[in-house]
Amino acid sequence: MMKTAKGEIYRVAGPVVTVTGIRPRMYDVVFVGHLNLMGEVIQIRNDKSVIQVYEDTSGVKPGEPVTASGSPLMVELGPGLLTSIYDGIQRPLPVLNKKMGDFISRGLSEPGLDRSKKWKFESAVKKGSKVVGGSILGAVQETKNTEHRILVPPTTSGTIEDIADGKFCVEEPIGHLTDGTVLSLMHRWPMRVPRPVIDKLMPDIPLITGQRICDTLFPVAKGGTACIPGGFGTGKTVMQHQLAKWSDAEIVVYIGCGERGNEMTEVLTEFPKLKDPRTGAPLMERTVLIANTSNMPVAAREASVYTGITIAEYYRDMGYGVSLMADSTSRWAEAMREISSRLEEMPGEEGYPAYLSAKLAAFYERSGRAHLLNGKEGSITIIGAVSPAGADFSEPITQNTLRMVKVFWALDSKLAQRRHFPAINWLTSYSLYMNTLEPWFDREVSTDWKMLRMKTMELLQKEAELSEIVQLVGSDSLPEHDQLTLEIARYIREIFLQQHAYHEVDSYCSIQKQYSLLRTIHEYGAACYDALEKGVLLTDIFKMKSSGLLAKAKFELDFDHELEKVVAEMKKEFKSLGVEAM
Amino acid sequence: MTKEYHTITDIAGPLIFVEKTEPIGFGELVNIMLPDGSMKRGQVLDTSSDIVVVQVFEGTAGIDKESGVCFLGETIKLSVSLGMLGRILDGSGEPIDGGPKIVPDERMDINGSAINPWARDSESQFIQTGISTIDGLLTLVRGQKLPLFSGSGLPHNEIALQIARQAKVKGEGEEFAVVFAAMGITNEEAQYFMKDFERTGALKRAVVFLNLADDPAVERLITPRLALTAAEYLAYTHDMHILVILTDMTNYAESLREISAAREEVPGRRGYPGYMYTDLATIYERAGKIKNKKGSITQIPILSIPGDDWTHPVADLTGYITEGQIAISRELHRKGIYPPINPLPSLSRLMGRGIGEKNTRGDHRAVEQGLYAAYAEGRDLRGLVAIVGKDALSERDNRFLMFADVFEDRYIRQGRDEDRSIEQTLELGWELLATLPESALTRIDRRILEKYHPAYRKKHSK
């Protein structure tokens, strides 16, 4: 089956190369030209095959040789993925740096996993054990806190003939099946094929991101999907970084797809320094990075998303909760458009190929909480950033994505310009997981969680209505009760919704802290309304100092203690106004 | 050695189609001999055993089916050497200052290669431009790409020149060398730049590439790549710090669209090709700073945005690639304020790398946030005043309203040759913040306020 065949180049037009003389299958890998540039078959017409090439094709001529590999594009799966940084076709960037210098040159294929590193393997099965695809053979300690479970490849099954403990490289045999199949620490999987599971389950646990607006108002479930559309400068990337840093996933796969090089550098220097709030280990130790920046070959950008999701599925198959961040899916779709237009395909909307929505759907459908082949349970949460052209959400990628995803975090350039971060618009965003997640919040946080959340949304809605009036007549002409509503809504916005990504304390906010902060703001609000009703002057209420203290409490390390102090101070102030609060 | 073909089949716009050739490499450079003895150059866009498509840089005027075509067997390369400093070259890299040819030290492929993200340096240094609005609020750092978002009739050229003239890194006497690439600008504009370079002696440390408005549009596609190749050579071979000014990227994008249309490609938004994002990225992403190299490339592209519409594809795609933008405001310009930079829609994404105790001063971020918030509030109030009148505003609101005026007049406005140090800029910031009630400065950390606020400093000195 794995026959290699030789052919020759017929035509070169940028990254699209037409070849003759080989009879490959669709999506088989082909090596093109004297430089052996890697590519993939994307179209077959009569005796000609069209290849999209993952590297620059300058200087490549018709007539140069072509080799078909006979296999599709594979991702290497095994210990060593965590802490790695790859380009779109899983070549490790540090190794490329060592071998070709500071710039990326051509024609070097490099395996994704280090061949020489020895891993200490402990088996979990014995001679005679029956195994199926996905069964756990044993484990390797990949990083301090992550046990890497060695899986039987999904398409293999049988009875164990022999298996050994000890130190192995990824390719060395660790044992055999009775039919002679060799088992090793790694296996390969075609990136465009979803790894099989038994069935998908409904997600019912929230992914706690440590970002107040996301967790409290628009939560995403573990195994769910979310998108973050926003024009440039609205903080998409910062948001994605925040989610990658603080969400309570066991494994994070971060895909920098067609974005800035300097941003990836930031991730590379920051993640090893930051600590996972759950384990205390460096964040890098649970992270796999894929960086195919905007000026790296466009075909490899198209592949980067598949490389990422395949790695995510592999860790899910071990029974982990995985988060995948793709920044940005628009650049991925543009890569598809570019290839499609070189193939002279009939375009759909705005030049995007007609199969855009099918491709996006297939990608988001690889998420989910799943019942695995080995009986365990694992999940993949996909959070995709979208960069709408001209910040216009009616463009095809945003619209097609919204048809798939359940959570919509809409970034708003007006909020960003007012430096309200995260600039998620609370009026247009939504989460469809609210109902399924409610029991969890009820159980794990507090029974009045739902009520607080509803109250918050009502208040913000009311504020939006009132501000329209204020625009026309000024706030002084509103009734005092409404003026107070505006003030309380401002606390919600400024104290609760605004969160400082670069502040060492505020960057991450635990769910308990979110709850206490929100409850205190509402209690403070209730006391204000009470005071107003009892005849206290509005100006006196506005002059109270404790609201300012409340605003600062979230920045304190010893938050609970600080909040107690603020509440005590509030009570004192209300008392001096002649109102017994709370 | 190189064979001359006389097998042109079609000529369409800037493209010629040649048949019956030997295998020709993709991207190869082409010489076209015209019947009148002159020569034009081009590049292979599409090659196959049957037909080769060539894009002609100087336009196809005068080419007929009998013209000769020579394929040179290599992609476009630029001859580089230190001797380029002080020279003026045309849009395809030939000297036009009457001086001798550049004696090459090396020949480099003009398309360059992507910097491995792993090799990029996350540390950087603050570049002092001497312009308060930029230094104080939109700090530029080495290796950054920060475009000027402007429009026709606005003084973006003057601002770019002032930056080029005044840019320096604090503590290092070393000046920047400037690589200047003009794409489709008018002769008049070009002269303005050249005069200024000569007047200030900056030309000695500059390499100038000029593709003027009446030069062939296709040539514009290679001009920025030549400039960046020269910049990479100077930065990474000779450890120099390079400031690259690209003007005007809108003209560049127009050329890209022209070629795309001639090739009958499927258009994306507003007729621009679908690959424009990738194409622009291969220019902008060549800015950078590499871990183990001393030199750096900082880019200031200039965009004159049609109709001041930031959703225009050129501005939009640029904004998605560059690390922020400097917004030149028509409103401030009309008020007679120079430089008319509006800080509110502007942004510098790498600011954090260039400020703080180590680079500028510990209070830099606080002053920036304070000024930004106060100016934003002042401007909002202007809208309200128009409706309800000044008298309806509170005392506090009036202070903010006044602040916005003073901020524009003293902080944003400065002379064309006024070179403010970062200390002057920060002090001026505090002076203006001190006009506001202290209770309004909630965003500023107490400790910083007490250390730097003029009211406290007077107390200390007493």
Side-chain angles (χ1 to χ4, degrees):
Chain A
M1 193 184 97
M2 293 287 252
K3 59 172 192 296
T4 56
K6 297 257 179 204
E8 64 174 44
I9 296 177
Y10 167 72
R11 176 183 173 194
V12 187
V16 174
V17 174
T18 312
V19 304
T20 56
I22 55 168
R23 302 182 69 84
R25 291 171 303 184
M26 278 294 273
Y27 296 109
D28 271 4
V29 170
V30 173
F31 294 94
V32 170
H34 295 303
L35 286 166
N36 267 324
L37 308 178
M38 190 157 106
E40 218 182 351
V41 179
I42 51 169
Q43 204 175 66
I44 299 173
R45 270 187 193 164
N46 282 329
D47 61 334
K48 297 197 178 81
S49 315
V50 181
I51 319 286
Q52 70 170 357
V53 179
Y54 293 121
E55 294 170 86
D56 179 34
T57 52
S58 292
V60 176
K61 291 177 181 168
E64 286 190 31
V66 171
T67 318
S69 72
S71 95
L73 202 52
M74 297 283 201
V75 180
E76 293 194 345
L77 303 166
L81 289 169
L82 292 184
T83 73
S84 288
I85 168 162
Y86 295 118
D87 75 352
I89 44 175
Q90 213 202 358
R91 296 186 301 178
L93 290 174
V95 179
L96 295 191
N97 191 191
K98 209 179 288 165
K99 293 202 170 168
M100 10 191 216
D102 298 329
F103 296 89
I104 293 181
S105 52
R106 297 188 283 172
L108 188 75
S109 21
E110 192 60 39
L113 297 173
D114 187 344
R115 290 291 186 270
S116 58
K117 186 164 177 183
K118 294 253 185 203
W119 298 92
K120 194 166 168 292
F121 172 70
E122 277 175 46
S123 62
V125 290
K126 288 194 291 286
K127 179 180 163 64
S129 303
K130 293 237 181 295
V131 292
V132 295
S135 293
I136 293 168
L137 292 170
V140 155
Q141 201 64 38
E142 190 174 4
T143 59
K144 215 173 125 228
N145 290 293
T146 310
E147 180 192 79
H148 187 109
R149 293 161 196 152
I150 305 301
L151 306 175
V152 176
T155 48
T156 309
S157 63
T159 311
I160 299 282
E161 169 69 29
D162 65 292
I163 189 139
D165 286 9
K167 291 196 154 193
F168 298 99
C169 299
V170 284
E171 277 183 321
E172 280 178 291
I174 54 168
H176 298 83
L177 297 180
T178 46
D179 66 0
T181 308
V182 181
L183 301 168
S184 62
L185 295 182
M186 65 164 274
H187 65 268
R188 293 188 177 81
W189 187 259
M191 58 165 68
R192 295 183 194 277
V193 182
R195 285 170 68 91
V197 293
I198 293 180
D199 50 19
K200 295 261 174 102
L201 306 166
M202 280 299 285
D204 59 1
I205 301 170
L207 180 79
I208 300 302
T209 63
Q211 309 305 304
R212 285 186 291 267
I213 184 162
C214 298
D215 293 348
T216 303
L217 297 186
F218 312 109
V220 62
K222 279 189 179 152
T225 48
C227 73
I228 317 179
F232 63 84
T234 50
K236 260 187 320 300
T237 300
V238 175
M239 193 66 209
Q240 286 280 39
H241 287 188
Q242 285 297 91
L243 296 170
K245 282 177 197 164
W246 307 124
S247 57
D248 66 341
E250 286 155 304
I251 305 291
V252 171
V253 178
Y254 190 97
I255 310 171
C257 176
E259 289 289 307
R260 304 177 182 95
N262 271 326
E263 268 167 10
M264 289 316 293
T265 312
E266 220 148 88
V267 176
L268 285 173
T269 43
E270 243 183 56
F271 276 38
K273 285 186 211 147
L274 292 167
K275 291 206 167 25
D276 184 344
R278 292 175 314 124
T279 62
L283 280 174
M284 200 61 198
E285 294 197 350
R286 63 164 199 186
T287 310
V288 185
L289 291 173
I290 295 165
N292 208 89
T293 57
S294 52
N295 57 340
M296 283 157 75
V298 68
R301 187 200 301 168
E302 197 266 340
S304 66
V305 165
Y306 294 104
T307 305
I309 189 78
T310 309
I311 292 173
E313 282 178 339
Y314 175 62
Y315 279 96
R316 173 203 65 196
D317 289 350
M318 294 178 205
Y320 287 120
V322 184
S323 281
L324 179 134
M325 281 84 194
D327 182 19
S328 149
T329 56
S330 296
R331 305 302 163 222
W332 174 53
E334 276 167 21
M336 281 191 252
R337 170 166 75 180
E338 203 171 320
I339 305 291
S340 161
S341 106
R342 302 238 189 223
L343 291 178
E344 291 163 10
E345 292 174 335
M346 183 70 80
E349 240 179 306
E350 286 189 22
Y352 288 102
Y355 48 77
L356 171 76
S357 103
K359 290 261 187 177
L360 278 170
F363 166 65
Y364 280 105
E365 275 303 279
R366 287 175 82 168
S367 70
R369 192 174 137 229
H371 186 197
L372 305 172
L373 300 181
N374 54 26
K376 284 180 175 270
E377 201 187 293
S379 70
I380 300 177
T381 315
I382 298 185
I383 301 171
V386 183
S387 320
D392 171 11
F393 287 0
S394 67
E395 56 92 42
I397 302 164
T398 315
Q399 285 309 312
N400 281 308
T401 304
L402 284 179
R403 280 166 45 206
M404 297 309 305
V405 301
K406 301 283 185 294
V407 178
F408 174 45
W409 291 321
L411 294 176
D412 186 327
S413 38
K414 285 213 183 86
L415 286 177
Q417 242 191 60
R418 270 190 265 147
R419 303 241 168 145
H420 174 109
F421 287 113
I424 296 176
N425 184 317
W426 48 89
L427 297 174
T428 49
S429 301
Y430 60 77
S431 163
L432 300 181
Y433 293 116
M434 230 36 247
N435 292 333
T436 44
L437 295 180
E438 222 159 70
W440 187 92
F441 283 109
D442 233 27
R443 206 168 58 234
E444 305 288 328
V445 190
S446 169
T447 46
D448 60 351
W449 176 271
K450 184 183 176 189
M451 190 270 295
L452 279 178
R453 181 186 174 273
M454 302 264 285
K455 252 174 119 173
T456 309
M457 286 308 285
E458 270 168 34
L459 194 60
L460 290 169
Q461 182 60 45
K462 182 83 187 156
E463 184 199 29
E465 286 163 22
L466 290 175
S467 3
E468 277 177 29
I469 306 174
V470 171
Q471 297 263 312
L472 293 177
V473 296
S475 63
D476 286 350
S477 16
L478 287 183
E480 286 197 329
H481 187 272
D482 286 347
Q483 287 188 40
L484 186 57
T485 303
L486 284 179
E487 183 75 0
I488 310 292
R490 189 171 69 87
Y491 298 156
I492 298 275
R493 276 193 290 110
E494 288 180 5
I495 301 174
F496 190 76
L497 297 182
Q498 282 192 18
Q499 191 164 353
H500 205 309
Y502 296 110
H503 191 281
E504 45 178 339
V505 177
D506 200 35
S507 186
Y508 170 77
C509 187
S510 73
I511 194 79
Q512 276 69 29
K513 189 170 162 184
Q514 298 185 22
Y515 169 70
S516 335
L517 189 60
L518 191 60
R519 202 195 51 200
T520 311
I521 296 172
H522 280 294
E523 277 172 4
Y524 181 81
C528 289
Y529 284 121
D530 188 40
L532 187 68
E533 220 146 273
K534 289 192 173 131
V536 178
L537 286 176
L538 198 59
T539 43
D540 285 338
I541 296 178
F542 285 174
K543 267 189 203 142
M544 283 178 37
K545 290 221 164 70
S546 37
S547 62
L549 293 174
L550 186 59
K552 296 225 159 79
K554 65 178 178 184
F555 296 116
E556 296 300 326
L557 209 51
D558 185 8
F559 171 75
D560 292 324
H561 181 66
E562 195 62 28
L563 198 64
E564 272 169 37
K565 277 204 304 201
V566 174
V567 173
E569 180 65 28
M570 261 163 28
K571 286 189 178 158
K572 222 166 69 194
E573 273 191 295
F574 276 115
K575 206 165 182 180
S576 70
L577 292 173
V579 185
E580 208 60 59
M582 294 171 245
Chain B
M1 179 62 212
T2 47
K3 221 167 162 179
E4 193 172 316
Y5 296 96
H6 294 271
T7 51
I8 296 177
T9 59
D10 293 305
I11 305 172
L15 305 181
I16 58 173
F17 298 75
V18 189
E19 60 173 10
K20 296 189 196 117
T21 61
E22 277 165 13
I24 302 299
F26 175 74
E28 248 180 55
L29 204 56
V30 183
N31 284 344
I32 301 131
M33 317 299 173
L34 271 55
D36 64 3
S38 62
M39 193 188 83
K40 294 193 180 216
R41 277 162 311 153
Q43 189 183 9
V44 175
L45 275 189
D46 191 335
T47 167
S48 73
S49 314
D50 303 330
I51 205 142
V52 177
V53 183
V54 178
Q55 159 184 316
V56 184
F57 295 134
E58 290 101 338
T60 44
I63 301 183
D64 61 8
K65 292 181 79 167
E66 276 66 50
S67 301
V69 180
C70 288
F71 297 95
L72 303 184
E74 61 165 23
T75 49
I76 307 182
K77 294 200 164 62
L78 177 70
S79 303
V80 287
S81 79
L82 267 184
M84 296 177 94
L85 286 170
R87 299 297 300 274
I88 303 171
L89 313 168
D90 72 4
S92 53
E94 297 297 320
I96 47 170
D97 53 2
K101 270 197 161 293
I102 308 281
V103 181
D105 173 41
E106 217 179 299
R107 284 166 53 73
M108 292 169 72
D109 190 311
I110 66 157
N111 287 310
S113 307
I115 302 177
N116 186 329
W118 180 259
R120 281 183 187 266
D121 194 352
S122 66
E123 303 264 310
S124 195
Q125 293 86 34
F126 160 68
I127 297 176
Q128 180 179 303
T129 65
I131 297 174
S132 288
T133 321
I134 297 177
D135 291 350
L137 308 177
L138 311 164
T139 312
L140 176 70
V141 304
R142 270 185 187 159
Q144 187 174 11
K145 38 195 179 293
L146 191 62
L148 296 182
F149 274 20
S150 186
S152 43
L154 295 176
H156 41 259
N157 290 339
E158 286 169 88
I159 297 173
L161 274 173
Q162 191 170 0
I163 295 173
R165 221 163 39 226
Q166 297 180 171
K168 53 183 136 332
V169 168
K170 210 178 142 196
E172 295 177 24
E174 213 177 338
E175 271 178 73
F176 280 86
V178 175
V179 171
F180 178 80
M183 293 159 275
I185 65 171
T186 59
N187 197 322
E188 215 172 298
E189 277 175 296
Q191 286 209 18
Y192 176 76
F193 275 103
M194 299 320 302
K195 282 236 172 70
D196 197 84
F197 283 145
E198 272 161 30
R199 174 176 71 90
T200 57
L203 192 58
K204 282 198 304 260
R205 289 182 64 81
V207 189
V208 178
F209 292 86
L210 290 181
N211 166 286
L212 300 184
D214 56 351
D215 286 336
V218 191
E219 191 183 88
R220 246 158 251 166
L221 298 183
I222 63 166
T223 308
R225 296 189 162 83
L226 295 172
L228 285 161
T229 306
E232 278 167 5
Y233 170 78
L234 294 172
Y236 304 134
T237 308
H238 292 285
D239 296 337
M240 294 171 82
H241 293 288
I242 311 293
L243 191 69
V244 180
I245 298 175
L246 304 170
T247 183
D248 177 328
M249 287 308 288
T250 310
N251 295 338
Y252 172 83
E254 297 284 328
S255 299
L256 201 63
R257 175 162 70 177
E258 190 180 325
I259 301 301
S260 172
R263 295 177 66 186
E264 297 176 4
E265 289 171 335
V266 178
R269 280 180 75 217
R270 300 207 199 172
Y272 290 95
Y275 50 79
M276 190 156 85
Y277 176 82
T278 308
D279 189 277
L280 288 175
T282 57
I283 294 176
Y284 296 140
E285 279 285 328
R286 285 171 86 171
K289 203 166 165 290
I290 295 178
K291 270 182 222 162
N292 50 23
K293 291 205 155 74
K294 202 170 157 270
S296 66
I297 296 178
T298 311
Q299 269 189 31
I300 303 196
I302 297 173
L303 280 73
S304 60
I305 301 169
D308 295 340
D309 172 13
W310 281 27
T311 68
H312 186 280
V314 181
D316 190 50
L317 297 179
T318 299
Y320 276 121
I321 306 167
T322 54
E323 282 126 3
Q325 67 277 340
I326 296 174
I328 313 289
S329 151
R330 199 168 293 278
E331 179 210 335
L332 290 176
H333 180 62
R334 280 202 201 108
K335 281 189 185 171
I337 291 167
Y338 176 90
I341 299 170
N342 182 355
L344 301 185
S346 304
L347 174 72
S348 165
R349 288 170 193 267
L350 299 188
M351 181 165 182
R353 294 187 188 182
I355 62 170
E357 209 69 69
K358 242 183 11 198
N359 271 302
T360 53
R361 225 168 68 176
D363 58 335
H364 194 148
R365 180 61 83 183
V367 180
E368 181 257 337
Q369 286 178 344
L371 290 173
Y372 185 97
Y375 183 54
E377 189 161 350
R379 278 182 72 110
D380 276 353
L381 287 166
R382 280 186 193 159
L384 195 62
V385 168
I387 300 166
V388 298
K390 227 175 185 164
D391 298 340
L393 291 188
S394 65
E395 154 77 19
R396 180 180 182 278
D397 286 353
N398 269 312
R399 297 271 280 274
F400 273 95
L401 204 57
M402 234 154 61
F403 172 87
D405 293 337
V406 178
F407 179 78
E408 283 172 6
D409 189 46
R410 295 192 47 206
Y411 195 88
I412 298 183
R413 187 200 296 274
Q414 70 185 76
R416 282 167 171 74
D417 285 310
E418 188 180 350
D419 188 358
R420 294 184 191 157
S421 73
I422 183 65
E423 287 77 16
Q424 283 172 314
T425 294
L426 290 171
E427 288 309 310
L428 180 60
W430 277 114
E431 200 183 306
L432 297 180
L433 284 176
T435 64
L436 295 170
E438 211 186 295
S439 62
L441 304 176
T442 46
R443 280 180 194 244
I444 298 178
D445 195 308
R446 203 69 231 156
R447 281 163 291 223
I448 287 184
L449 196 75
E450 282 170 15
K451 190 168 167 197
Y452 292 102
H453 194 287
Y456 291 89
R457 270 194 273 175
K458 266 181 218 138
K459 275 181 215 158
H460 293 314
S461 55
K462 262 174 202 169

